[in-house]
Amino acid sequence: MPAGDAPAIADQALLDELRGLLVSVSVQALRQAARRWSWPLRGTAKAEIVEQLIERLTDPAQMYRVVQSLPPDAREVLAWLAVLDQDKSAVRRIEAAVNAGSGSTLDLAAINSILANLVAGCLVFDRGYLGYQTPAVYNRWLPRVEAAR
């Protein structure tokens, strides 16, 4: 393998991870996520829809606009989820981090509600008993945890 191929292979692995997560979501939920962000979709085949969403979800400029459209609490939860272990107990760790870091007073119910909204927008994936997941390719545009205000 030529040395220049390594980044392309790594990028393909990241896209494959995202593709696998999107394929696990129903077509209806994928369409709802696209509508939520005002992204037009063409076609009806799930594979077509997944590929169109991959194009959008991996475009840093576009995703910056999406993230900026989120309420501040949602941006903070998304940022913390990306740096914490993403198992089911992540919700409690996010609560502690958000409340200590920014002085916010989000409780578990509020964080669970925010996570549900992030899942609905395909910004986070709920893997059931495995916990939540933000695909590694999202690291290109995920918000960073900010210092206490």
Side-chain angles (χ1 to χ4, degrees):
M1 167 178 71
D5 289 348
I9 291 170
D11 284 349
Q12 189 58 50
L14 297 176
L15 294 175
D16 288 345
E17 176 197 28
L18 176 56
R19 185 174 291 108
L21 290 166
L22 289 169
V23 165
S24 72
V25 176
S26 72
V27 171
Q28 180 181 3
L30 294 173
R31 288 189 173 285
Q32 288 171 343
R35 266 193 303 279
R36 177 181 186 159
W37 309 122
S38 302
W39 296 339
L41 292 176
R42 300 172 312 279
T44 57
K46 187 173 193 175
E48 289 177 284
I49 292 168
V50 164
E51 293 306 313
Q52 291 172 66
L53 287 175
I54 288 172
E55 285 180 38
R56 303 285 186 152
L57 291 165
T58 58
D59 178 346
Q62 183 153 235
M63 293 313 299
Y64 176 81
R65 288 188 295 276
V66 165
V67 169
Q68 291 309 306
S69 75
L70 296 172
D73 287 342
R75 286 195 306 267
E76 189 168 16
V77 168
L78 183 59
W80 278 112
L81 182 63
V83 298
L84 296 172
D85 289 337
Q86 299 177 13
D87 57 19
K88 278 299 183 184
S89 63
V91 177
R92 289 201 180 279
R93 288 191 302 277
I94 291 169
E95 177 188 30
V98 166
N99 293 338
S102 68
S104 178
T105 56
L106 293 177
D107 61 13
L108 290 176
I111 292 170
N112 280 316
S113 176
I114 289 169
L115 285 168
N117 283 322
L118 294 172
V119 167
C122 291
L123 303 181
V124 171
F125 294 86
D126 186 344
R127 306 278 316 268
Y129 69 91
L130 296 173
Y132 295 98
Q133 183 173 351
T134 54
V137 73
Y138 285 8
N139 288 331
R140 296 175 179 167
W141 56 258
L142 278 169
R144 302 293 179 235
V145 174
E146 296 180 20
R149 297 176 197 127

